[in-house]
Amino acid sequence: MSQTTITSTSADHGVTLYTLRNAHDMRITISDRGATLVSWWAPDRYGRVADILLGYPDSDGYQTNSPYFGGLIGRWGNRIANGRFTLDGADYLVDRNEGNNHLHGGDSGFHLAQWQVEVGADGLRLTLESAEGDAGYPGNLLVSVLYNLDDDGRLSIDYSASCDAPTPLNLTSHGYFNLNGGSADIYDHILAIAADQYLQVDSQLIPVKAASVAGSAFDFREPAPIGPRLAWPDPQLTLAKGFDHCYCLRQQYPTVPDQGRNVQPLREVATVYDPGSGRQLSVATTESGLQFYSGNFLAGIQGRSADAYRKHDGFCLEAQAYPNQINGPDAEAVILRPGQIYRQTTTYQLKVR
């Protein structure tokens, strides 16, 4: 039985921080602003405790949070080309906050919202009401996310949502990890992703086609260090200034029936291992896509350490639908309609080897 406890403390700007602590004194701190993952304190193989999440030193930075440190992203994680989509014959224009494109929910995304909190036996539940017209989206939306930390070092994130009119929905968590606790960059981290294809992008990081990972820098079917791959002469790495691509996760069957749809079961899709600390992070999800981002634009951002972050000081593994999927042939799969319940489960489990 889990012995996880949840405590709260007040911070600046009316923010409350909630700390989940398991029986082994592993601690995860979550803010009610943006349902944000703030810190994850965990020991290495020598018992030395460090924070494996990147973030700001106080609540000030999270008021704008341009890197999206730890934020709960919505209504749409990742990009929508030209900030436009058509839904049931009607054209919609949503916030364009990255050039001509829509990114991570726009100027007033969920990562900046004040969420309502309920502490229960099943974990920390945060809820948010997103009104029709927010960022240009149709329909009123009610979103819930449940965080739970168990005694095996597994952080579970269970999402659900309902609406009163059809709306695109693609939720994700934008935690930045560094398994050495910030003592070095992520070059030595050894990554594995269960995907045979990834989505190649154009100069605006909008997907243009699916491509095989075979023979490319993107092939993490077998574990490989991140640093050497970043040095490969690959045009896709040049475009993105590193990895910022969605992997098409392997499908697992049988699927799970859910309100007339067949969805993927929860299955492990990625692992990251840091040889220096012995920490290993495993990711499992019900989603079809996994965005691997290698922290290409961290340089100069002041985090919790005395020195500012550098490029590739952290990585993200964001479970989600495909970027710009609302404008593709499988758009219906990312439309939430009245009477349906959006569901997603993603877990991050930390162990020491």
Side-chain angles (χ1 to χ4, degrees):
M1 178 180 294
S2 174
Q3 301 180 42
T4 299
T5 60
I6 302 176
T7 57
S8 64
T9 57
S10 298
D12 294 336
H13 305 288
V15 167
T16 301
L17 301 175
Y18 296 84
T19 299
L20 285 64
R21 186 190 306 258
N22 71 9
H24 307 294
D25 205 31
M26 181 179 286
R27 292 168 288 141
I28 296 178
T29 300
I30 297 166
S31 171
D32 60 357
R33 180 173 178 85
T36 299
L37 294 174
V38 176
S39 292
W40 187 337
W41 292 91
D44 65 7
R45 64 161 60 95
Y46 306 106
R48 298 174 300 195
V49 175
D51 189 354
I52 64 164
L53 285 174
L54 275 61
Y56 290 107
D58 52 42
S59 296
D60 289 345
Y62 292 99
Q63 300 308 297
T64 53
N65 196 6
S66 56
Y68 306 93
F69 283 138
L72 197 291
I73 305 299
R75 292 188 190 188
W76 189 269
N78 221 301
R79 295 168 176 86
I80 296 177
N82 300 310
R84 294 182 179 275
F85 60 87
T86 300
L87 176 54
D88 294 343
D91 295 328
Y92 292 91
L93 179 65
V94 289
D95 287 351
R96 297 176 176 180
N97 59 320
E98 189 192 53
N100 290 326
N101 300 321
H102 178 82
L103 176 66
H104 292 337
D107 296 325
S108 55
F110 292 177
H111 68 292
L112 297 178
Q114 191 71 24
W115 292 62
Q116 300 300 309
V117 179
E118 179 182 356
V119 178
D122 56 348
L124 184 72
R125 185 175 297 278
L126 298 99
T127 58
L128 178 68
E129 295 182 13
S130 175
E132 181 176 8
D134 282 354
Y137 285 99
N140 296 296
L141 183 73
L142 178 63
V143 180
S144 173
V145 59
L146 178 68
Y147 291 103
N148 178 268
L149 174 65
D150 69 20
D151 290 341
D152 291 326
R154 181 185 295 103
L155 173 66
S156 298
I157 310 175
D158 291 294
Y159 308 76
S160 62
S162 59
C163 62
D164 64 0
T167 187
L169 191 61
N170 179 26
L171 304 177
T172 193
S173 178
H174 208 295
Y176 285 75
F177 295 91
N178 184 318
L179 300 184
N180 60 47
S183 61
D185 54 37
I186 62 168
Y187 282 37
D188 288 342
H189 286 44
I190 298 172
L191 172 65
I193 301 177
D196 302 309
Q197 292 186 311
Y198 76 104
L199 299 180
Q200 293 188 339
V201 297
D202 63 16
S203 61
Q204 297 185 57
L205 304 185
I206 300 296
V208 292
K209 67 175 181 179
S212 172
V213 300
S216 77
F218 294 83
D219 191 351
F220 289 99
R221 292 175 295 181
E222 295 295 329
I226 294 172
R229 293 296 179 87
L230 284 166
W232 279 37
D234 190 303
Q236 284 290 303
L237 294 178
T238 301
L239 277 176
K241 297 181 171 55
F243 293 98
D244 194 1
H245 297 75
C246 187
Y247 280 77
C248 307
L249 297 171
R250 292 175 189 150
Q251 303 297 292
Q252 183 173 316
Y253 299 96
T255 54
V256 180
D258 187 4
Q259 297 185 329
R261 297 181 181 179
N262 291 323
V263 300
Q264 285 293 297
L266 182 67
R267 77 279 192 209
E268 186 174 295
V269 297
T271 60
V272 189
Y273 174 65
D274 173 43
S277 68
R279 296 186 184 98
Q280 177 172 291
L281 186 72
S282 301
V283 184
T285 189
T286 57
E287 293 295 277
S288 297
L290 187 72
Q291 186 83 7
F292 170 40
Y293 174 54
S294 55
N296 310 326
F297 296 96
L298 286 171
I301 297 173
Q302 185 61 57
R304 288 188 275 262
S305 300
D307 296 328
Y309 289 129
R310 301 160 299 173
K311 185 177 182 180
H312 307 316
D313 266 357
F315 69 89
C316 303
L317 289 172
E318 307 156 62
Q320 57 186 250
Y322 296 156
N324 200 40
Q325 186 171 333
I326 187 60
N327 287 311
D330 199 21
E332 185 60 32
V334 292
I335 296 171
L336 181 65
R337 297 186 178 276
Q340 296 178 334
I341 302 295
Y342 170 96
R343 291 186 179 90
Q344 181 205 143
T345 297
T346 296
T347 69
Y348 298 90
Q349 185 174 17
L350 192 66
K351 294 183 177 181
V352 175
R353 289 171 44 190

